[in-house]
Amino acid sequence: MSMVRTLSARSAAMALFLSVLLFSACAFAEAQFTTDRMRLVTADNKIHEFTVELAIDADQREQGLMFRHTMAPDHGMLFDFGDTRRVMMWMKNTYLALDMLFIDKNGTVRTIHQNAVPFSEAIIDSREPVAYVLELNAGTVKRLGIKPGDRLEGARIVGN
């Protein structure tokens, strides 16, 4: 009789372990992102092409670039909020230093935050209503001479 109880207890423990493992795998599954080509046009008509991952739904926007260790120089992530509003970002669990471009619904860069500090939980505020945030590797804004008033163009931008 004690052998049956031991096997039953082991079976129950194994089932519990597998359930927790399965739940953990589902709960921490990474969001999947599609990509698109976009171009940034500066005030002096220089064109810079980027491949961007699209953070469109809540899970994608929540994950963003967290836990990434590298990103190609001509890549970025576009957060599409679906409407225009004041946006607050942070760098929790983000290894990469980033430049953030806060962009209105027509694709115009309104404000810029350069060199966001990895892992910081400090709030980075758009300071005005925007529809998109484009995250690029830190130093890209300075290297390419990006300024407020420049325009992001692509299929996702409503004003294009």
Side-chain angles (χ1 to χ4, degrees):
M1 194 68 158
S2 65
M3 181 67 133
V4 172
R5 286 186 189 152
T6 302
L7 287 176
S8 179
R10 284 185 185 163
S11 295
M14 182 58 86
L16 179 62
F17 172 75
L18 291 174
S19 296
V20 169
L21 188 63
L22 179 62
F23 174 76
S24 297
C26 292
F28 297 109
E30 288 188 27
Q32 299 299 307
F33 300 93
T34 59
T35 60
D36 198 1
R37 294 287 296 167
M38 303 195 92
R39 56 192 234 159
L40 189 74
V41 182
T42 63
D44 57 357
N45 288 318
K46 290 183 182 170
I47 297 172
H48 305 286
E49 300 273 341
F50 293 97
T51 298
V52 297
E53 292 180 75
L54 303 173
I56 300 166
D57 68 33
D59 289 339
Q60 292 167 330
R61 288 191 304 267
E62 183 179 332
Q63 181 178 316
L65 291 169
M66 291 193 309
F67 307 110
R68 306 266 185 102
H69 291 272
T70 61
M71 184 167 61
D74 64 341
H75 281 60
M77 181 170 281
L78 182 74
F79 292 77
D80 182 343
F81 294 95
D83 61 359
T84 299
R85 60 187 166 107
R86 192 168 172 180
V87 173
M88 310 282 181
M89 306 288 281
W90 68 353
M91 297 289 290
K92 183 177 180 176
N93 299 319
T94 306
Y95 289 84
L96 302 169
L98 298 170
D99 289 344
M100 296 180 188
L101 284 65
F102 296 91
I103 302 165
D104 70 18
K105 67 180 180 179
N106 296 316
T108 303
V109 176
R110 305 299 298 174
T111 61
I112 297 173
H113 182 89
Q114 294 183 59
N115 297 306
V117 177
F119 301 105
S120 173
E121 293 186 23
I123 299 300
I124 301 167
D125 185 352
S126 65
R127 299 190 303 265
E128 61 183 86
V130 296
Y132 312 97
V133 175
L134 178 61
E135 292 183 340
L136 303 169
N137 285 306
T140 302
V141 165
K142 183 176 182 179
R143 180 174 50 86
L144 300 179
I146 300 168
K147 295 181 174 57
D150 292 348
R151 292 188 37 80
L152 185 65
E153 298 178 348
R156 291 217 61 86
I157 306 297
V158 175
N160 289 318

